[in-house]
Each structure stands twice: as C-alpha cells, then as structure tokens.
Amino acid sequence: VCKLDGVCERETPNIKQSLIASYSTLLAPKVRDACMEITAVSERDSHLIGSHSCQQHTSSCSVDLSTWFYQFRILLRRGLKERKHESFNTLRVFQVITASILAGLMWWHSDYRDIQDRLGLLFFISIFWGVLPSFNAVFAFPQERAIFMKERASGMYTLSSYFMARIIGDLPMELILPTVFLIVTYWMAGLKPDLVAFLLTLVVLLGYVLVSQGLGLALGAVIMDAKQASTIVTVTMLAFVLTGGYYVHKVPACMAWIKYVSTTYYSYKLFVNVQYSQGNKISSLLGCSHHGSNRVSCKFIDQDIAGQISPKLSVGILFLMFVGYRLLAYLALRRIKG
C-alpha cells in the first residue's frame, strides 16, 4: 500500500516508536500508580505480619499448601493423559505378554526339585524387570527438558509438585504390566503353588520395578542426554546382572563390591527365599545331608539358597535404593535453570 488516507507510508512515523510514545503517554502513568499502590499494600501487610505473626504464618502456609496441591493435581492429570498411551502402547504390551508366555512355556510346570531350572527362571525375571523399567525411565527427564525449563522459567509450578506428580503418576503405569507378567508366568511355570508365596513374589517384583525405575530416573536427570544416559544405564545394569549371584559365585575381590549395590542381587535373593526359604525342605527331599546323588543340585542349595543374605536386610537396602535414587533425581533437577 503506497498511501493510507491520502498520506504516503514513508511519511508516517515508525510504528514501534508510535507504540512506545503511546504507552509512555497513556499507560505508563497508570502502571506507575498501580505499582505504588501495590507497594503501599505490601508495606501494610508486612506491618500486619509483624503484629500478628502466628495467624499470618498459618494462613500463608495454608495458601501455599493449597497452591501446591492444585499444581500437583493439574500436573498429575496432565501426566496421566500424556503417558497412558506411551506406557500401554501396543508394542510394549506385546513385548511383556510375549515374554511372559515364552517364559511360561520354557519352564512349563517345572519340578520343585529342579533347582537349577527354577533358579534360572527367577534370575530371568530379575533381569527382565531390572532392564526394562530402568531403560524406559532413563528417557523421561531428557525428553521433557525443553518444556520443563520453559514452564519452570515462567513460574508455572514448583519443582516439588512437578516431581511428585511424575513419581505418583508413574505408579499405575509401571506396576500393571509386571503384575500381568507374573500372573501368566508364575502359574504356567508351576512355581510354589501357594497364594501367600505368589503375593510375596508379586510384592518383591513390584518393589524391584520401582527401584529399577528410580535408577533410570536418577541417571536420566543427572546426565540429561538421552543417548548418553541410555548407554550408562545399559552398562550399569550389565554390571548388576553379572554380579547378581547366579552366573558367578566366586566374584573377584576387585568386583565383589558391585553386588552390594546391585538391585538385581537383592531381588534375586528375595525371589529365592520366597520359593525355597532356607532350603531345609528341598535339602531333605534331595538327601543333601549326606553324600550321594544329585550333587549338582546340592551344590546349588549350598551356594544359592542356604548361603543367602537376610531377607530383612535385602528389603531394607532396596527401600533405601528406592528413596535414594529418587532423591538423587530431584537434586539433579534442582540444578537445571529455566
């Protein structure tokens, strides 16, 4: 357009300068008056706080707490909507169901006295549900980094509300598929036919899944690079599996410390304890109290069943790992500035 209302466009003032002049003339005095009013109100409120500190402190805490829960509720609802399709997509469900059926067929109605075979199944469960949750969780924070930094910079929510919404929202997503897996595999493989034993195995499995997920979250939050974090978590889980207590019993002294920080080691020992306890029953069935046949099975009893770590100690260490990994992830997120 060359002319507007008979005036050449080149003769009109710069639009940006016109907006700045209009703001300075019309809006700036109003904004200044509003700021002065807010300052006066703030001074009056601070005076009231000084005279009525207890009441004001209680009211402030309740307002902050209600705001925190509001942010938590919104973030939790958003997280559930976003991740339900990712957690229950066709490929992941197919992966878990296929693995459970294959495991059930491979160990179809295994005999209670086939110790080596059953220990292999228990260790397979430890490997599968150690690697899968940690590998999936390691991408959580790196993938959300851009939107997380943008929303945090704008002050939309606190870090604690975001983190707790993420942790709580992951529980139903992460625990349903392991439950389905164990229901299929446990009864197909013919593990200890007792409801209490099944429920204890399920509790150990779900706790182990949460600990493995926490490991992935911590590594992802610390590294904040999807490729690097996936490589580190793969190497870490490989070290945990190798020192888990099934492949090698006499671990070299320079490597022995790894098994004491291995999530696989403690979960595997708990699985074994649920199935065989201290090994007294299976030992008497196989006649391992005296020299005779089944020496290989007796060796497994001595090394994998009788000489295991205390179940209470295993549960306590896994609980510390559950809390510690998530605390590490939270502290790692605090260093990220929007």
Side-chain angles (χ1 to χ4, degrees):
V1 178
C2 182
K3 290 187 177 182
L4 181 63
D5 296 334
V7 181
C8 181
E9 187 176 3
R10 294 180 179 178
E11 299 176 2
T12 59
N14 186 285
I15 296 178
K16 180 179 179 181
Q17 297 299 327
S18 300
L19 292 175
I20 293 175
S22 299
Y23 174 82
S24 301
T25 304
L26 300 176
L27 295 179
K30 297 180 180 180
V31 173
R32 186 164 49 252
D33 294 340
C35 291
M36 295 297 292
E37 182 179 356
I38 292 174
T39 303
V41 172
S42 299
E43 292 177 354
R44 185 172 66 253
D45 289 343
S46 62
H47 177 72
L48 291 175
I49 290 175
S51 58
H52 305 284
S53 57
C54 295
Q55 296 179 358
Q56 290 293 336
H57 180 71
T58 304
S59 176
S60 176
C61 289
S62 62
V63 171
D64 292 341
L65 192 61
S66 62
T67 303
W68 188 92
F69 275 107
Y70 176 76
Q71 295 173 356
F72 169 78
R73 187 168 63 252
I74 296 298
L75 291 169
L76 179 62
R77 188 181 304 122
R78 184 183 73 173
L80 292 175
K81 289 181 180 180
E82 289 179 349
R83 292 193 295 276
K84 66 180 180 181
H85 302 291
E86 177 185 352
S87 299
F88 300 110
N89 64 64
T90 306
L91 289 178
R92 184 171 297 184
V93 173
F94 174 77
Q95 179 186 28
V96 172
I97 296 298
T98 303
S100 63
I101 294 176
L102 286 176
L105 292 175
M106 284 291 296
W107 282 274
W108 177 261
H109 289 178
S110 61
D111 194 281
Y112 181 76
R113 293 169 293 185
D114 294 334
I115 301 176
Q116 184 176 1
D117 291 347
R118 286 207 170 190
L119 292 181
L121 172 60
L122 297 177
F123 197 71
F124 166 75
I125 295 174
S126 300
I127 295 174
F128 186 78
W129 288 110
V131 174
L132 188 64
S134 59
F135 194 79
N136 291 331
V138 80
F139 297 100
F141 295 128
Q143 289 178 345
E144 296 181 359
R145 180 176 183 175
I147 186 66
F148 170 74
M149 293 176 63
K150 184 183 296 185
E151 292 176 346
R152 285 281 293 146
S154 61
M156 293 180 63
Y157 47 75
T158 61
L159 176 60
S160 59
S161 61
Y162 165 80
F163 187 78
M164 290 304 299
R166 176 80 202 197
I167 298 302
I168 301 299
D170 283 342
L171 293 180
M173 308 293 183
E174 295 294 333
L175 300 184
I176 293 178
L177 289 181
T179 303
V180 174
F181 174 91
L182 190 66
I183 291 174
V184 175
T185 303
Y186 192 95
W187 301 109
M188 286 183 66
L191 293 176
K192 193 174 182 179
D194 182 67
L195 181 60
V196 176
F198 169 76
L199 293 177
L200 288 176
T201 305
L202 179 61
V203 170
V204 173
L205 178 61
L206 297 182
Y208 177 50
V209 167
L210 294 178
V211 173
S212 300
Q213 183 206 22
L215 174 62
L217 291 174
L219 291 176
V222 170
I223 300 174
M224 270 298 172
D225 182 271
K227 291 184 179 180
Q228 295 180 11
S230 62
T231 302
I232 297 299
V233 77
T234 301
V235 174
T236 302
M237 289 307 303
L238 177 62
F240 285 177
V241 167
L242 291 177
T243 58
Y246 179 77
Y247 294 126
V248 181
H249 295 97
K250 296 180 180 179
V251 182
C254 61
M255 300 288 292
W257 63 272
I258 299 180
K259 73 176 184 180
Y260 296 110
V261 296
S262 169
T263 57
T264 306
Y265 174 75
Y266 297 107
S267 64
Y268 172 63
K269 293 303 182 183
L270 286 173
F271 286 141
V272 173
N273 183 265
V274 172
Q275 294 298 314
Y276 290 103
S277 186
Q278 296 300 320
N280 297 328
K281 179 180 178 180
I282 187 63
S283 180
S284 61
L285 286 176
L286 298 178
C288 292
S289 58
H290 55 81
H291 295 286
S293 60
N294 296 323
R295 295 309 302 165
V296 175
S297 298
C298 294
K299 189 174 182 179
F300 271 93
I301 293 176
D302 294 336
Q303 295 179 342
D304 289 79
I305 298 177
Q308 61 180 316
I309 192 172
S310 169
K312 294 182 179 179
L313 182 59
S314 298
V315 172
I317 293 176
L318 287 176
F319 178 77
L320 291 178
M321 290 181 176
F322 170 81
V323 176
Y325 286 145
R326 283 163 173 77
L327 180 61
L328 177 61
Y330 178 78
L331 295 177
L333 290 177
R334 284 181 61 90
R335 65 182 173 83
I336 299 177
K337 303 298 182 182

